[in-house]
Amino acid sequence: MENERILILDFGGQYNQLIARRVRECHVYCEVRPHDLPLADIRAFAPAGIIFTGGPHSVYAPGAPDVDPGVFALGVPILGICYGCQLLSARLGGEVVAAQDASAREYGKTDTQFDTESPIFQGLPAQSITWMSHGDYMARIPEGFAVIARSKACPNAAIGDDSRRFYGVQFHPEVKHTQYGLDLLKNFLFRICGLKGTWTMERFRESSVRALRERIGDGKVLLGLSGGVDSSVCAALLSEAVGRQLTCIFVDHGLLRKGEGDAVEAAFAERALNFVRVDAAGRFLKKLSRISRPEDKRKIIGREFVRVFEEESGRLGSVDYLAQGTIYPDVIESGGGSGAAVIKSHHNVGGLPADVQFREIVEPLRLLFKDEVRALGRELELPPALVDRQPFPGPGLAVRIVGPVTKEKLRILREADAIFREEMARAGLEGHASQYFAALTNLRSVGVMGDGRSYDRAVALRAVQTEDFMTADWVRLPWELLDRVSVRIVNEVPGVNRVLYDVTSKPPATVEYE
């Protein structure tokens, strides 16, 4: 990636992925690594600048996360954020202490004043809102540093040493609540580190194809293709690199949305790869027909997927490489990119076939965030229906049907969901929701259809807006749109006589129904 790169040292903060995303938005390549990364590895990475993240600890506490002191002698700029700012101060001769009373602690939106003569704040307003989250403060700053920002409760809200190009801010510039946070990060990247912002998906595509060809040679590659964004982009990239040395196994479990299986197959029909579509709908439905508990559904679907994949891949004989659509958040959450605790272990396939021999796993997307994966998909000319696909659960429509899954319920849900998506698109509102779909409740109620009484099912519509899917708010869709969707579903989908709109946020609800 050349030397236009930033190293982010992770001290366990909740916004660390967000820091990396903001840097990438500026077309600068970066990686998140553990705070205790050995100095030799830092030198080998050859960063143009280093960012210390926030974290939940106090720098003066025994066993608090630290950094190799040699990092301060590398001659590269450093930006410390929150805990990172306090660590920078403490390790260079300053003093960090706990706030003695509540008035000295800062949490949330805070009026902050800046010294706009400092390179880190150049071009920003002299006063704006920042997002604070700290109970410790710098009682004394290190020699050579100057105070360059302050707030009512914090006289040392930011510090800077222009000669060494070291800067620390007590607030979080990476979150949107900090009004000019992205401008601050741009100042660090471009004014202070001297970067030009040349990292693009076009360059990533070119370098990745070269690297994959060199690594794989004439070997055979196997990929479990789900039809989701990650696996589809992974397949397209590998296809460009190694062509028909790649075999994609698409297990169609019969739980996809209307027309989705055919769309996946069509997207890869003209690409140089071996595409194997396995129609396993009957097999999955048989297993799910009497299952009501959501977790049991998930386990059955995951286990059955692995078994089908095993059976199909076993027919291929020897395989050199197993490809996965692992992306950067998976790496970080699995503990592979940060100093934080493992959030979840990750495996795209869910289990490796015992009778498939391979040399190693290939993960060509493991350094990309989701929005970057979508950008790469556009660069690879995948159809918008795949690239811009909404998040869709691995178990598919099974977790949008409350209770046992049957062929009839799947028919109802597919048609209702398709109508909802059609009307959202027609109204130009796809971008107003992070995710929207129909779900089939287990409610049946009395209705009047024509001149007769009906006793049919209720469909629930769900639309949410979120940045991270950790929390989500329901979308206030126009009543006219909901009216059209409701009328169409009741008129066009036999078996439905009631349409509901879910106005519950997360928490207390989840985005999906099961």
Side-chain angles (χ1 to χ4, degrees):
M1 298 294 178
E2 305 174 351
N3 285 334
E4 278 244 341
R5 57 176 70 191
I6 293 292
L7 176 64
I8 300 173
L9 293 180
D10 184 355
F11 291 90
Q14 61 179 319
Y15 302 128
N16 299 345
Q17 285 192 40
L18 192 53
I19 297 172
R21 291 194 62 172
R22 294 289 180 257
V23 172
R24 298 272 187 95
E25 286 172 15
C26 298
H27 300 292
V28 172
Y29 181 75
C30 65
E31 289 186 25
V32 180
R33 298 287 188 88
H35 64 87
D36 56 357
L37 187 69
L39 189 62
D41 292 347
I42 296 176
R43 285 199 181 102
F45 187 79
I50 298 173
I51 297 177
F52 295 171
T53 75
H57 308 277
S58 294
V59 296
Y60 49 78
D66 210 337
V67 67
D68 189 309
V71 75
F72 300 111
L74 292 175
V76 300
I78 296 175
L79 171 63
I81 296 174
C82 199
Y83 178 90
C85 171
Q86 295 165 4
L87 181 74
L88 183 70
S89 177
R91 295 300 172 263
L92 295 177
E95 182 183 9
V96 177
V97 299
Q100 297 303 306
D101 58 77
S103 63
R105 304 186 185 102
E106 290 182 306
Y107 299 97
K109 294 181 179 179
T110 305
D111 283 311
T112 308
Q113 292 77 44
F114 307 98
D115 175 4
T116 56
E117 295 298 313
S118 171
I120 199 79
F121 298 129
Q122 194 170 334
L124 275 65
Q127 181 172 338
S128 63
I129 298 295
T130 65
W131 184 263
M132 297 280 190
S133 181
H134 65 95
D136 293 339
Y137 72 99
M138 294 177 285
R140 186 180 72 251
I141 67 173
E143 185 177 345
F145 281 79
V147 174
I148 54 175
R150 57 186 55 81
S151 66
K152 182 178 180 181
C154 186
N156 302 327
I159 58 174
D161 180 339
D162 293 340
S163 63
R164 287 185 286 182
R165 298 181 296 170
F166 291 170
Y167 300 89
V169 295
Q170 283 280 187
F171 54 89
H172 288 272
E174 69 274 20
V175 303
K176 290 188 176 180
H177 302 302
T178 296
Q179 288 180 331
Y180 296 91
L182 186 58
D183 296 298
L184 182 156
L185 289 173
K186 286 180 177 178
N187 278 344
F188 178 71
L189 298 173
F190 303 131
R191 294 182 187 273
I192 295 166
C193 297
L195 301 178
K196 302 196 182 301
T198 58
W199 191 70
T200 64
M201 277 302 107
E202 181 181 7
R203 297 188 68 183
F204 179 86
R205 172 187 179 177
E206 293 169 354
S207 62
S208 295
V209 167
R210 285 195 303 269
L212 287 166
R213 285 174 179 165
E214 182 179 340
R215 178 181 179 186
I216 294 170
D218 59 359
K220 292 182 179 179
V221 186
L222 176 66
L223 171 68
L225 180 61
S226 69
V229 177
D230 302 336
S231 67
S232 296
V233 173
C234 183
L237 184 62
L238 282 164
S239 170
E240 182 167 309
V242 298
R244 296 198 178 277
Q245 294 166 232
L246 169 67
T247 296
C248 294
I249 297 179
F250 173 43
V251 178
D252 186 349
H253 49 29
L255 304 170
L256 298 173
R257 290 172 289 196
K258 185 177 181 179
E260 209 158 31
D262 293 339
V264 172
E265 186 170 3
F268 292 97
E270 302 301 320
R271 292 185 180 266
L273 53 79
N274 300 309
F275 186 92
V276 179
R277 179 175 179 175
V278 185
D279 183 0
R283 179 171 178 166
F284 279 81
L285 274 175
K286 185 177 180 180
K287 296 283 185 179
L288 293 169
S289 62
R290 298 177 183 274
I291 306 300
S292 295
R293 292 182 57 207
E295 192 58 27
D296 290 342
K297 289 184 189 178
R298 291 178 181 273
K299 288 178 179 177
I300 288 169
I301 293 167
R303 186 166 60 244
E304 204 63 21
F305 180 89
V306 172
R307 286 175 179 166
V308 176
F309 187 82
E310 285 177 350
E311 291 168 10
E312 294 300 320
S313 57
R315 298 187 177 101
L316 299 176
S318 178
V319 175
D320 301 292
Y321 297 92
L322 181 73
Q324 293 188 162
T326 308
I327 65 174
Y328 205 29
D330 300 326
V331 175
I332 295 173
E333 289 173 358
S334 297
S338 73
V342 173
I343 298 171
K344 64 178 181 181
S345 58
H346 173 81
H347 202 293
N348 274 35
V349 176
L352 302 181
D355 53 356
V356 175
Q357 301 299 316
F358 59 90
R359 276 185 259 166
E360 54 190 281
I361 292 174
V362 176
E363 297 172 316
L365 310 181
R366 66 180 282 110
L367 295 177
L368 298 184
F369 287 99
K370 192 73 166 189
D371 54 336
E372 295 168 333
V373 174
R374 294 186 195 275
L376 178 59
R378 296 184 192 101
E379 180 70 26
L380 291 163
E381 299 181 345
L382 280 172
L386 276 184
V387 175
D388 299 322
R389 186 180 192 251
Q390 293 183 57
F392 191 61
L397 298 180
V399 292
R400 293 179 181 172
I401 293 174
V402 180
V405 179
T406 66
K407 189 174 183 179
E408 173 65 7
K409 289 182 179 179
L410 283 168
R411 177 196 64 78
I412 291 172
L413 182 53
R414 279 199 188 94
E415 295 299 329
D417 181 74
I419 289 170
F420 187 26
R421 288 187 287 128
E422 284 172 16
E423 291 297 336
M424 285 286 285
R426 188 173 298 168
L429 293 175
E430 305 107 303
H432 285 65
S434 304
Q435 193 170 355
Y436 55 93
F437 57 88
L440 188 61
T441 73
N442 61 358
L443 171 68
R444 300 190 74 166
S445 62
V446 174
V448 179
M449 305 286 283
D451 294 325
R453 174 183 180 276
S454 68
Y455 187 65
D456 285 330
R457 301 186 182 278
V459 165
L461 306 178
R462 181 95 161 121
V464 298
Q465 182 61 48
T466 178
E467 285 192 11
D468 55 13
F469 284 91
M470 300 301 292
T471 62
D473 191 20
W474 63 278
V475 178
R476 279 68 174 169
L477 292 178
W479 292 118
E480 296 82 3
L481 170 68
L482 292 173
D483 180 44
R484 285 197 303 274
V485 174
S486 175
V487 169
R488 282 196 61 192
I489 289 175
V490 171
N491 286 340
E492 299 175 27
V493 184
V496 178
N497 67 357
R498 196 174 296 268
V499 177
L500 316 172
Y501 187 53
D502 188 335
V503 294
T504 319
S505 296
K506 176 186 179 180
T510 56
V511 174
E512 296 290 349
Y513 272 66
E514 292 195 335

